[in-house]
Amino acid sequence: MFVLTRMLMVLLAGAFLFVPSAVLAAPSPTSALALDAPESVARGDAFPALAVSDAPAKSFTFSWLGKTYEARAEQVSANTAAGAATRWQAVMLLPVPLEEKESARDLAVFTGNGKDAHAVARKIVFFDKDRPVQKLNVDKKYVDPPAAEMARIKADRELVRQALAQRLPERFWVLPFVRPVPGDVSSLYGLKRVFNGQPRGVHKGLDLRGPQGQPVLACADGQVGLTGNLYFSGNVVYINHGEGVFTAYLHLSEILVQNGDRVRKGQVIGLVGATGRVTGPHLHLSLLVQGESVDPQPFLTTGNARGNNP
């Protein structure tokens, strides 16, 4: 897991409050803007970045990997040694693709326009986690889909693409995410799979053990963006948590929400199953950040709780 600053530990605790400027990267003498993020992140992980401004701001624009992402500013206040202070801040979750080739990239944040514009940047260094290899001998039907199913598979991919293109400007997620089922990990994110002696790519999700029919909980507040039955994934629920963050729950035996539903952190959204191209019941959890599938595990609570059910 990436190394977190003290500020980011506050984020992971779910307390999105003003943090004294001594904890933040120091702004330049002519700027009221500061930016904090981890110094290093593993390829395949995501990380939270926090922007804070002393001056009023309506939004912040984060620039990362050649793209920009806008986040609404929140006004916060706190008591400091110098007295009461008001700040404007925003947090954004950003990905490092598993296939990233560079050793480091610059993260920048901007606020304001024209003469009032300010910017600050910092470098994020990348490293590799140890990704194990899993060798399995399985029935050929689990490896090579029939030609007659290719049109359906293509249509499924388009449905998922359209769902992930939906952008909610509000941020509904708060870290850490609720663990959707209490079971331990059966297949890690980034696992390199070999089926019947042939390499079959990388596992872009986290498989969690669970018996047939076990309740599956929403990791965070959000809006259901997609439900249905897909060829590979079986019964699925995709939840849009805002600001480009989605979670997906695959192979469900039953779906208990509908497209467009607002859900709460810890709400039961489905039941564990073995639908789709799998050999037994479990939950495949995906975390998709700004269009990239990243490792959910660093952001999950260790336990499973329903304390925030509506």
Side-chain angles (χ1 to χ4, degrees), residues 135-157:
K135 297 182 179 180
L136 298 172
N137 290 316
V138 298
D139 191 299
K140 186 178 179 180
K141 69 180 182 179
Y142 294 107
V143 181
D144 299 313
E149 298 290 350
M150 296 310 295
R152 180 189 175 188
I153 293 169
K154 183 178 179 180
D156 288 349
R157 288 172 178 164

Side-chain angles (χ1 to χ4, degrees), residues 95-151:
V96 179
L98 191 61
E99 302 82 8
E100 173 61 44
K101 301 300 183 183
E102 300 294 328
S103 60
R105 293 272 197 155
D106 289 328
L107 168 67
V109 67
F110 307 85
T111 187
N113 296 297
K115 294 181 180 180
D116 297 325
H118 295 291
V120 63
R122 65 178 303 166
K123 187 178 293 294
I124 310 291
V125 176
F126 305 141
F127 64 93
D128 291 314
K129 288 182 177 177
D130 182 22
R131 308 289 185 185
V133 176
Q134 182 182 51
K135 297 182 179 180
L136 298 172
N137 290 316
V138 298
D139 191 299
K140 186 178 179 180
K141 69 180 182 179
Y142 294 107
V143 181
D144 299 313
E149 298 290 350
M150 296 310 295

Side-chain angles (χ1 to χ4, degrees), residues 72-105:
R72 293 179 178 178
E74 301 174 10
Q75 185 175 340
V76 293
S77 61
N79 294 323
T80 68
T86 299
R87 299 290 187 269
W88 288 259
Q89 69 178 43
V91 64
M92 180 66 68
L93 203 60
L94 296 168
V96 179
L98 191 61
E99 302 82 8
E100 173 61 44
K101 301 300 183 183
E102 300 294 328
S103 60
R105 293 272 197 155

